[in-house]
Amino acid sequence: MSTTSPEDQANGSGYQNELPQHLNWSTIPVEQVSEGIERQMLVGNRMMICRFRFRPFLVTPEHDHPHEQMTIVERGRVRFFIGGKEQIATAGDVLHFPSNCWHGATMMDEEVVLIDIFSPLREDFLNGNKG
């Protein structure tokens, strides 16, 4: 049973919602972040979850941010660069990036779907930054 209104399910953001939610990724809008990157977001009060779809061989430049991040590899293989070290992650793997951890990724030879959980909220994502 869903506790969200049809309006909340239609926009999928949950940003202004204090109520519990039960959503399906198929109801959450997909935004084209850039060529080869799609993002869906569900936003709570102090944390958010993003589902990213990346085309094969796409590179996300190394970067850091003050947000704590957990990443779940839902599909595909990714070469992560974390604090200067390289490692391969595959479907089912979970990675934790503490605040200000230097990291980046290169998608391997297939489409990749990642679930990223951030705390606190990535205000840059909410303000239209393609991040």
Side-chain angles (χ1 to χ4, degrees):
M1 179 174 175
S2 177
T3 58
T4 58
S5 70
E7 294 81 24
D8 289 333
Q9 287 185 353
N11 71 28
S13 70
Y15 187 51
Q16 69 289 345
N17 194 344
E18 294 284 333
L19 297 173
Q21 297 182 74
H22 178 169
L23 299 170
N24 187 290
W25 286 117
S26 67
T27 67
I28 298 173
V30 176
E31 68 178 303
Q32 186 76 34
V33 176
S34 64
E35 182 65 33
I37 303 176
E38 294 178 350
R39 175 175 64 200
Q40 295 169 280
M41 296 189 295
L42 178 61
V43 182
N45 295 316
R46 293 186 303 270
M47 64 187 297
M48 67 189 305
I49 186 167
C50 299
R51 185 176 191 225
F52 288 95
R53 178 171 281 120
F54 298 97
R55 74 166 188 248
F57 305 110
L58 187 126
V59 175
T60 62
E62 292 184 65
H63 63 283
D64 65 352
H65 44 73
H67 313 86
E68 185 173 12
Q69 174 180 340
M70 294 214 183
T71 296
I72 302 163
V73 181
E74 183 178 297
R75 180 171 60 229
R77 296 182 317 131
V78 185
R79 178 176 285 117
F80 279 99
F81 303 92
I82 305 167
K85 296 181 182 176
E86 182 179 321
Q87 59 191 65
I88 305 294
T90 60
D93 288 348
V94 179
L95 299 98
H96 174 243
F97 303 99
S99 297
N100 302 308
C101 175
W102 192 251
H103 63 286
T106 299
M107 308 314 127
M108 300 188 73
D109 58 351
E110 57 192 309
E111 181 181 75
V112 172
V113 177
L114 299 179
I115 306 293
D116 286 345
I117 302 163
F118 297 101
S119 181
L121 302 180
R122 291 285 308 252
E123 296 288 343
D124 55 332
F125 286 5
L126 299 175
N127 293 330
N129 182 334
K130 299 300 183 181

